[in-house]
């Protein structure tokens, strides 16, 4: 494929095939993603549909990245070879056709015209044959593409020169125009292929990270096996300096692991029993064994590669504009070229040859290659850069959404905070004997509360259970456990009926709180969550739990403010606790006591006021809000990264990556706009010059120079996209 017209032509051919539901073709990645009914059509039929219109296609199977890379390298080498042959043959053609202006004797070379014909013919029909087959394929599909412009332009110059050579018409020879045009186009294609290879090197670098073998403990012996033979549940040994082959959980041993190639985190991470390890990361000086959990396509690295590939194959909404332009561009250019020829020959008093040269110049200068590469090359570079920094942008929609965001809504637990709260206070109120719950002290209150919370999956429940286990309490099994969403839990333990939760739960159960408000307020002002405990229908005390703020939370909020984005915190906690946490991170606007199912409604409230919202959450409980927001940013969690629902997934647990992801998305979209502008400006400016509109002031353009300009335009667009690699995140 050479341009957006090529990709659209292939899309059209695939969509017309019976059984195909959708097809998307990316000119930069040279991939087609097709959804089809397997009962109505098969892959060979799809391949045949593409080949019928003059292109090639083959199914990309699992593990076929190396084959695809080899195919790309082979195609690039073929283009380079044809360019060099065209260059070698074009030089003598240029000397024979124009050298007499420097060396008059060249005009007397015997058989000069026939010699040019012999030298130019291989350039046309071997080096440039792909353009003629592409032109024929487009004709069969009743459309036109870049190949049409090149084939018509070079073909016109070549045929006219052949007619002059054999004596059918009188005039000058223009073999050099045909030869140089083909040579310059091939030069552009070769440079473009090299630049596109650099743009997509992120995927290659990720693939190269994968370990090739693993040491598996089988029957008490260490056995080295290919990575493909590791299965979930295997015990894997990692020695100093080796790569961790797959994802898993440490069984025994201790070491530090360099995870920078996956997460972007520069400092090694300490690993000990129970910790998660990520496949393809590099072990330090220690040694450990771990249980394989995710293998093959289920590993974190495989998930990252899949997300990046999907993103690079996606089309930003702005690409639809480029596609619409490309659909009409080539036919319009051919029409302009014909009008140019007719105008100059019949009305401009130009000779046939002068009119023909302007016709060819218009065809060649107006190549839509740059227009087709403007969006995908920027997306490939931007998403690749993000992947190397642990920021996974899932597609072009996220890029467009990020540029307009003016409010970022943060979930509190697990996002602004670590999400791993600990028990800080156990308060038993005096006079309990008078209220018929005698015999309770701090330890007994904690033990009973932990017994009930064993059945809960809430982070606060885990904190209470962990605190009781740390004291080595024996926890009875709870009976009649019930979780009341947004309020708390109830159950029986040791023959007592317990309630744990907030004020709303106590009010619903008609539990009189007496006067604990001062104690509760003091705890909440400290940023702690106060869990009220009732035993046998009588208020018994408070268990306070605190969730510490992440180190980068305040830094991220300040950085967002600097780029004009307002931050909001949303939480199910009470207002005092929420405000205490918000104050620590520098957030002024807080929405507290919001139930999980109401978070998306809160996002809609901001949208109703005209705000464009990004929601940052853990991607699981916050899925509705992530989907509702214009931009969903999910905090990745180990090997669950591929399952996150956000448009942007952050592999690291670092909120500064929220700022970096928005910055990268905005910069990438800016590159897309720049590329589209210059691609369109180039054609808008170039076509009138080639058509001779400014000939009156001496501004004209010969076809061969138009070919050079066309070749360089595509390279410049790809080069501009590659400048994204200089963005510092």
């Amino acid at each position: 494929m050479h341009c957006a017209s090529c990709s659209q032509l292939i899309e059209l051919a695939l969509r017309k095939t019976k059984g195909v539901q959708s097809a998307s073709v990316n000119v930069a990645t040279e991939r087609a993603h097709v959804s089809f009914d397997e009962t109505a059509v098969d892959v060979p039929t799809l391949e045949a549909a593409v080949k019928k219109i003059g292109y090639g296609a083959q199914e990309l199977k699992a593990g076929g990245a190396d084959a695809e890379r080899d195919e790309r390298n082979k195609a690039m080498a073929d283009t380079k070879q044809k360019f060099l042959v065209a260059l070698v043959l074009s030089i003598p053609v240029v000397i024979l056709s124009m050298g007499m202006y420097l060396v008059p004797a060249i005009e007397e070379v015997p058989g000069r015209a026939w010699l040019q014909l012999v030298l130019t013919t291989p350039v046309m029909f071997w080096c440039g044959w792909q353009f003629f087959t592409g032109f024929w394929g487009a004709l069969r599909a009743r459309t036109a593409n870049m190949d049409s412009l090149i084939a018509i332009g070079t073909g016109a110059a070549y045929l006219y020169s052949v007619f002059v050579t054999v004596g059918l018409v009188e005039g000058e020879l223009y073999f050099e125009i045909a030869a140089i045009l083909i040579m310059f186009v091939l030069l552009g294609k070769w440079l473009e292929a090299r630049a596109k290879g650099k743009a997509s090197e992120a995927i290659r670098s990720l693939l190269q990270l994968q370990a090739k073998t693993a040491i598996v403990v089988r029957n008490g012996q260490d056995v080295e096996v290919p990575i493909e033979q590791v299965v979930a549940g295997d015990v894997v040994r990692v020695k100093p300096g080796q790569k961790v082959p797959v994802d898993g959980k440490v069984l025994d041993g201790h070491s530090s692991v360099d995870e920078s190639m996956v997460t972007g985190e520069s400092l090694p991470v300490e690993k000990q029993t129970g910790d998660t390890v990520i496949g393809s990361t590099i072990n330090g000086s220690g040694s450990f064994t771990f249980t394989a959990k995710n293998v093959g396509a289920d590993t974190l690295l495989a998930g990252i590669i899949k997300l990046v590939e999907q993103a690079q194959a996606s089309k930003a909404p702005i690409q639809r504009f480029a596609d619409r332009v490309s659909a009409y561009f080539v036919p319009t250019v051919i029409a302009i070229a014909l009008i140019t020829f007719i105008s100059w020959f019949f009305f401009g008093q130009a000779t046939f040859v002068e009119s023909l040269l302007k016709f060819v110049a218009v065809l060649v200068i107006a190549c839509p290659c740059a227009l087709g590469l403007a969006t995908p090359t920027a997306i490939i570079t931007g998403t690749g850069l993000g992947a190397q920094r642990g920021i996974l942008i899932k597609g072009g929609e996220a890029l467009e959404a990020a540029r307009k965001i003016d409010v970022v809504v943060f979930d509190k637990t697990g996002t602004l905070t670590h999400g791993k709260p600990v028990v800080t206070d156990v308060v038993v109120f005096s006079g309990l004997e008078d209220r018929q719950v005698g015999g309770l002290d701090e330890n007994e209150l904690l033990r009973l509360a932990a017994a009930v919370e064993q059945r809960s999956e809430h982070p606060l429940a885990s904190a209470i259970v962990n605190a009781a286990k740390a004291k080595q309490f024996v926890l009875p099994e709870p009976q009649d456990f019930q979780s009341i969403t947004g309020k708390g839990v109830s159950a029986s333990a040791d023959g007592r009926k317990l309630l744990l939760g907030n004020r709303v739960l106590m009010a619903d159960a008609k539990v009189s709180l007496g006067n604990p408000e001062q104690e509760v307020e003091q705890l909440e002002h400290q940023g702690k969550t106060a869990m009220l405990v009732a035993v046998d229908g009588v208020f018994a005390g408070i268990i306070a739990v605190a969730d510490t703020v992440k180190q980068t939370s305040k830094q991220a909020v300040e950085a967002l403010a600097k780029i004009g984005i307002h931050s909001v915190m949303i939480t199910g906690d009470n207002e005092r606790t929420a405000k205490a946490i918000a104050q620590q991170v520098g957030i002024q606007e807080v929405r507290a006591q919001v139930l999980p199912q109401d978070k998306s409604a809160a996002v809609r409230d901001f949208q109703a006021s005209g705000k464009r919202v990004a929601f940052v959450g853990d991607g699981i409980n916050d899925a509705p809000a992530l989907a509702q927001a214009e931009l969903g940013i999910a905090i990745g969690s180990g090997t669950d990264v591929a399952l996150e629902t956000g448009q942007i997934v952050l592999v690291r647990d670092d909120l500064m990556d929220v700022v970096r992801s928005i910055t990268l998305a905005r910069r990438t979209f800016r590159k897309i706009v720049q590329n589209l502008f210059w691609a369109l400006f180039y054609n808008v400016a170039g076509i009138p010059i080639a058509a001779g509109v400014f000939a009156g002031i001496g501004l004209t353009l010969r076809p061969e120079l138009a070919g050079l300009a066309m070749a360089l335009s595509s390279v410049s667009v790809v080069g501009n996209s590659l400048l994204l690699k200089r963005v510092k995140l």
Side-chain angles (χ1 to χ4, degrees):
M1 293 186 292
H2 304 302
C3 64
S5 296
C6 297
S7 62
Q8 282 196 304
L9 184 59
I10 296 171
E11 277 186 10
L12 185 64
L14 288 169
R15 288 172 184 167
K16 283 184 175 179
T17 305
K18 184 179 179 181
V20 171
Q21 295 153 348
S22 67
S24 175
V25 179
N26 189 304
V27 67
T29 61
E30 297 179 351
R31 288 187 178 189
H33 287 253
V34 188
S35 296
F36 59 93
D37 180 358
E38 290 182 288
T39 63
V41 66
D42 56 13
V43 172
T45 304
L46 298 176
E47 293 174 351
V50 176
K51 292 173 182 176
K52 185 178 179 181
I53 56 173
Y55 297 90
Q58 63 186 53
E59 182 182 5
L60 181 63
K61 298 181 180 179
D66 289 340
E68 185 184 24
R69 182 196 60 215
D70 293 342
E71 193 71 28
R72 283 175 179 269
N73 289 338
K74 180 182 176 182
M76 188 163 64
D78 182 62
T79 302
K80 179 182 177 181
Q81 181 185 32
K82 289 181 177 179
F83 158 68
L84 291 175
V85 170
L87 175 65
V88 169
L89 295 177
S90 296
I91 290 173
V93 173
V94 171
I95 293 173
L96 289 169
S97 63
M98 305 176 68
M100 71 282 299
Y101 297 113
L102 296 175
V103 182
I106 290 177
E107 195 168 8
E108 306 302 324
V109 172
R112 185 170 65 93
W114 287 99
L115 192 53
Q116 289 182 66
L117 173 61
V118 169
L119 291 169
T120 303
T121 299
V123 176
M124 288 286 292
F125 301 111
W126 184 71
C127 300
W129 183 244
Q130 57 186 306
F131 304 116
F132 292 95
T133 56
F135 173 42
W136 175 244
L139 273 181
R140 292 177 65 184
R142 299 179 183 178
T143 185
N145 57 11
M146 183 203 112
D147 293 329
S148 307
L149 302 180
I150 302 301
I152 294 172
T154 57
Y158 177 81
L159 285 176
Y160 176 79
S161 300
V162 170
F163 290 158
V164 172
T165 301
V166 299
L168 293 178
V169 296
E170 293 185 4
E172 297 183 28
L173 299 172
Y174 292 99
F175 285 119
E176 80 280 2
I177 289 178
I180 291 175
L181 281 179
I182 295 290
M183 184 266 290
F184 278 149
V185 173
L186 290 171
L187 171 63
K189 292 292 115 189
W190 176 45
L191 294 176
E192 178 189 305
R194 290 185 61 189
K196 283 197 294 186
K198 290 180 180 179
S200 59
E201 67 185 10
I203 287 287
R204 290 198 301 276
S205 64
L206 288 172
L207 288 169
Q208 289 168 1
L209 295 176
Q210 294 176 318
K212 300 294 187 290
T213 61
I215 299 174
V216 180
V217 181
R218 290 180 178 165
N219 300 320
Q221 300 292 320
D222 289 354
V223 182
E224 187 169 359
V225 300
I227 191 71
E228 295 80 13
Q229 294 181 16
V230 179
V231 297
D234 274 344
V235 175
V236 182
R237 189 180 306 281
V238 183
K239 296 179 179 180
Q242 288 185 333
K243 285 185 178 180
V244 179
V246 295
D247 301 344
K249 187 163 288 189
V250 177
L251 275 177
D252 61 70
H254 176 272
S255 186
S256 59
V257 177
D258 179 2
E259 298 181 343
S260 60
M261 63 286 297
V262 175
T263 66
E265 178 59 61
S266 58
L267 295 176
V269 181
E270 295 295 317
K271 300 292 182 181
Q272 54 192 2
T273 302
D275 288 342
T276 298
V277 289
I278 302 171
S280 304
T281 55
I282 300 175
N283 183 31
S285 57
S287 178
F288 60 89
T289 60
F290 71 95
T291 303
K293 183 181 177 184
N294 295 321
V295 300
D298 296 326
T299 63
L300 171 63
L301 183 64
I304 290 175
I305 292 172
K306 183 179 178 180
L307 286 179
V308 175
E309 286 180 337
Q310 288 174 346
Q312 295 187 344
S314 71
K315 290 187 178 183
I318 196 173
Q319 178 68 32
R320 289 194 290 268
F321 164 74
D323 288 345
R324 283 196 299 269
V325 172
S326 298
Y328 300 103
F329 188 81
V330 174
T332 302
V333 168
I334 293 174
I336 292 173
L338 289 171
I339 292 171
T340 298
F341 176 84
I342 293 169
S343 299
W344 279 101
F345 185 65
F346 291 103
F347 306 107
Q349 298 181 340
T351 65
F352 175 82
V353 172
E354 290 172 339
S355 303
L356 180 65
L357 291 180
K358 288 181 172 57
F359 169 80
V360 173
V362 169
L363 289 175
V364 175
I365 193 84
C367 172
C369 297
L371 194 62
L373 292 168
T375 298
T377 53
I379 290 177
I380 287 173
T381 308
T383 53
L385 178 62
Q388 292 171 335
R389 303 294 196 278
I391 298 169
L392 307 180
I393 302 173
K394 288 189 176 180
E397 294 83 359
L399 299 174
E400 290 211 31
R403 71 188 180 102
K404 295 180 179 179
I405 294 301
D406 42 33
V407 173
V408 171
V409 178
F410 289 97
D411 176 50
K412 181 181 79 69
T413 305
T415 302
L416 288 170
T417 64
H418 285 104
K420 295 179 180 178
V422 294
V423 172
T424 58
D425 304 86
V426 179
V427 182
V428 178
F429 279 86
S430 60
L432 289 175
E433 293 82 2
D434 298 335
R435 285 184 274 164
Q436 301 172 358
V437 284
L440 285 180
D441 58 12
E442 291 181 0
N443 286 339
E444 183 64 8
L445 186 67
L446 177 61
R447 188 182 75 88
L448 289 174
V452 173
E453 294 287 21
Q454 287 181 98
R455 294 285 184 88
S456 175
E457 296 180 356
H458 195 281
L460 298 181
S462 299
I464 294 173
V465 173
N466 290 337
K469 287 182 177 178
K471 291 179 177 287
Q472 298 183 336
F473 292 156
V474 177
L475 303 180
E477 278 297 314
Q479 306 295 321
D480 303 321
F481 176 85
Q482 184 180 5
S483 176
I484 302 121
T485 304
K487 298 176 184 179
V489 295
S490 68
S492 297
D494 276 354
R496 288 182 158 178
K497 179 70 175 176
L498 287 98
L499 288 173
L500 285 86
N502 55 26
R503 294 176 182 82
V504 179
L505 177 66
M506 298 299 163
D508 289 350
K510 296 182 171 53
V511 174
S512 175
L513 298 181
N515 190 26
E517 197 63 34
Q518 185 176 355
E519 188 79 30
V520 172
E521 286 184 15
Q522 185 178 348
L523 292 168
E524 290 177 347
H525 281 310
Q526 295 170 9
K528 300 172 182 177
T529 299
M531 302 278 288
L532 306 181
V533 184
V535 179
D536 295 330
V538 179
F539 176 65
I542 303 169
I543 298 178
V545 178
D547 185 6
T548 55
V549 171
K550 290 179 182 176
Q551 196 171 10
T552 56
S553 294
K554 185 174 183 180
Q555 185 183 357
V557 171
E558 291 174 347
L560 287 171
K562 287 181 181 178
I563 59 175
I565 295 178
H566 177 62
S567 296
V568 178
M569 188 180 82
I570 192 168
T571 179
D573 267 346
N574 64 77
E575 194 160 343
R576 289 194 188 94
T577 303
K579 285 185 175 178
I581 296 293
Q583 188 174 9
Q584 291 181 49
V585 300
I587 290 178
Q588 303 299 319
E589 187 173 353
V590 178
R591 294 202 177 190
Q593 293 181 297
V594 179
L595 297 177
Q597 62 267 29
D598 294 333
K599 289 180 180 179
S600 58
V603 171
R604 281 196 296 273
D605 288 345
F606 286 108
Q607 293 170 329
S609 64
K611 303 294 185 183
R612 292 182 173 88
V613 182
F615 187 90
V616 185
D618 63 13
I620 301 170
N621 295 329
D622 300 319
L626 286 165
Q628 176 64 41
E630 278 83 3
L631 180 65
I633 302 178
I635 303 294
S637 176
T639 53
D640 292 332
V641 66
L643 305 177
E644 298 291 352
T645 55
Q647 293 165 282
I648 295 178
V649 175
L650 308 181
V651 177
R652 296 188 300 178
D653 200 8
D654 181 354
L655 279 192
M656 277 303 295
D657 282 346
V658 173
V659 186
R660 297 183 185 106
S661 64
I662 292 176
T663 300
L664 176 60
R666 287 181 170 183
R667 293 285 185 86
T668 303
F669 187 81
R670 192 181 305 168
K671 282 296 178 189
I672 292 173
V673 173
Q674 288 174 0
N675 289 344
L676 287 173
F677 171 79
W678 287 112
L680 289 170
F681 176 81
Y682 161 82
N683 282 295
V684 169
I687 291 175
I689 295 173
V693 172
F694 304 107
I697 59 173
L699 186 59
T700 58
L701 193 65
R702 284 186 60 85
E704 56 267 41
L705 294 179
L708 176 61
M710 181 268 288
L712 294 179
S713 69
S714 298
V715 177
S716 66
V717 162
V718 180
N720 187 46
S721 295
L722 288 174
L723 291 177
L724 273 171
K725 292 190 174 185
R726 298 185 179 182
V727 174
K728 293 185 178 180
L729 300 174

